[in-house]
Amino acid sequence: MQRVKSFLIQVPLWLYFIISVYPLFWMISYSLKDNNEIFVTNPFGLPTQFRYENYINAWTQFNLPQYFMNSVVVSTVATLFIVILALMFSFAIARLRWRFREAVRLYMLVGMFMPLQVIMIPLAILVKDFHLANTYGALIIPYIVIGLPFSSLIFYGFMRDIPSEIEEAACMDGASVYRLFTNIIVPVVVPAIATVVIFQFLNNWNEFMLANILISDESMKTLPLGLLFFQGQYSTDWGGMGAVMTIASLPMVIIYLFFSEQVERAMTMGSAVKG
């Protein structure tokens, strides 16, 4: 009876696992097929013949390495600055005492509710006036500004839960504000940093709307823009398109695997710090 009960409990979990993993399996399998298999003979099963040439063609015959490198540079630099700036801002409003900190915190949070469509035209004009069009800065700076409010909110929530006794002990040992921030606060919020890195890198990696408006130079396009070009001009090569999508997904899978343990720790961080 106990085994039957355990089996019934596990059934929904296994169904959820299959539903979650199958899209990834389907994308990889369809990247190894030709058009006939994808649409007619074998749309959902394993490839009858693994066509690795789809990956070779996608990488060598198109500008994919350049798109890939542009996405890596833009996403990495933007995420790095978001984490650093949001950490310092959150420390200032969560742990320091100064007159306008609540007003500044609310001002930053307003950015979370600002629709991207509202700032699109002013942003395009600013990018043009500052001669940033078709440069990495045209995407990196807006990505940093857009990512700061949400990241600051996450760090602020974590830092608010850190007991003040930790700071008092550090101050009694002679730690300055800068050393308190780098040696005490930052190590405690590492799980939150991992969460923000995954979330912001994913957003920056997949961002399409701003990149489509601010980047027109072929050599500066990011991977989402490159995929659009690939699909429009070579729409019959669906196997190659699947190969491109699989390559584009690899960095996110690697980053998630690298930081997944920290993200899980972030879920219990509040109770752990309070304890």
Side-chain angles (χ1 to χ4, degrees):
M1 187 63 186
Q2 186 63 30
R3 287 184 178 180
V4 174
K5 186 177 179 181
S6 176
F7 174 76
L8 292 176
I9 292 175
Q10 290 183 13
V11 167
L13 299 177
W14 280 108
L15 287 175
Y16 177 77
F17 171 78
I18 293 172
I19 293 172
S20 301
V21 172
Y22 185 76
L24 183 63
F25 162 78
W26 183 80
M27 182 181 67
I28 295 174
S29 67
Y30 125 76
S31 71
L32 296 168
K33 300 176 182 176
D34 59 10
N35 289 357
N36 188 45
E37 272 194 278
I38 294 172
F39 292 108
V40 182
T41 60
N42 184 25
F44 302 109
L46 283 171
T48 55
Q49 179 182 352
F50 291 92
R51 301 180 185 279
Y52 300 107
E53 61 269 20
N54 289 340
Y55 285 87
I56 298 174
N57 294 337
W59 190 264
T60 58
Q61 294 184 7
F62 308 101
N63 207 17
L64 192 60
Q66 186 64 47
Y67 300 149
F68 192 88
M69 183 55 63
N70 291 338
S71 285
V72 169
V73 172
V74 170
S75 303
T76 303
V77 175
T79 303
L80 181 64
F81 275 94
I82 288 172
V83 170
I84 294 174
L85 295 176
L87 274 173
M88 292 191 293
F89 177 78
S90 303
F91 175 71
I93 61 174
R95 310 305 299 184
L96 302 182
R97 300 289 180 268
W98 44 290
R99 178 175 297 179
F100 300 109
R101 65 172 186 150
E102 274 302 312
V104 171
R105 184 178 70 85
L106 292 175
Y107 178 77
M108 176 64 81
L109 292 182
V110 168
M112 290 179 57
F113 306 102
M114 189 70 68
L116 184 59
Q117 292 80 0
V118 173
I119 64 172
M120 228 176 247
I121 294 177
L123 180 60
I125 295 173
L126 281 175
V127 167
K128 182 181 179 183
D129 290 345
F130 282 94
H131 304 288
L132 291 173
N134 291 317
T135 66
Y136 286 137
L139 296 179
I140 290 174
I141 295 175
Y143 289 174
I144 294 172
V145 174
I146 293 171
L148 272 178
F150 181 74
S151 303
S152 300
L153 180 66
I154 291 179
F155 290 142
Y156 176 78
F158 270 73
M159 290 183 185
R160 280 289 300 265
D161 287 337
I162 298 175
S164 58
E165 288 80 4
I166 297 177
E167 288 178 332
E168 294 171 1
C171 291
M172 291 179 66
D173 289 338
S176 64
V177 173
Y178 305 103
R179 191 171 181 183
L180 178 68
F181 172 71
T182 56
N183 291 11
I184 305 296
I185 300 298
V186 172
V188 170
V189 298
V190 164
I193 294 175
T195 305
V196 170
V197 166
I198 291 177
F199 184 82
Q200 294 298 347
F201 193 89
L202 179 64
N203 278 352
N204 298 333
W205 185 265
N206 293 327
E207 202 284 323
F208 175 81
M209 195 179 297
L210 283 180
N212 192 35
I213 293 173
L214 302 176
I215 300 295
S216 58
D217 190 342
E218 185 65 28
S219 64
M220 297 302 299
K221 286 183 176 179
T222 55
L223 204 50
L225 290 180
L227 284 171
L228 181 67
F229 169 78
F230 188 94
Q231 185 180 19
Q233 190 168 356
Y234 305 98
S235 56
T236 56
D237 186 8
W238 290 101
M241 174 63 72
V244 174
M245 289 193 293
T246 303
I247 294 172
S249 303
L250 280 179
M252 292 313 309
V253 174
I254 294 172
I255 288 179
Y256 178 76
L257 292 176
F258 187 75
F259 288 106
S260 59
E261 186 178 347
Q262 296 294 335
V263 174
E264 291 173 6
R265 288 178 56 191
M267 302 301 176
T268 57
M269 184 65 187
S271 58
V273 170
K274 288 174 182 176

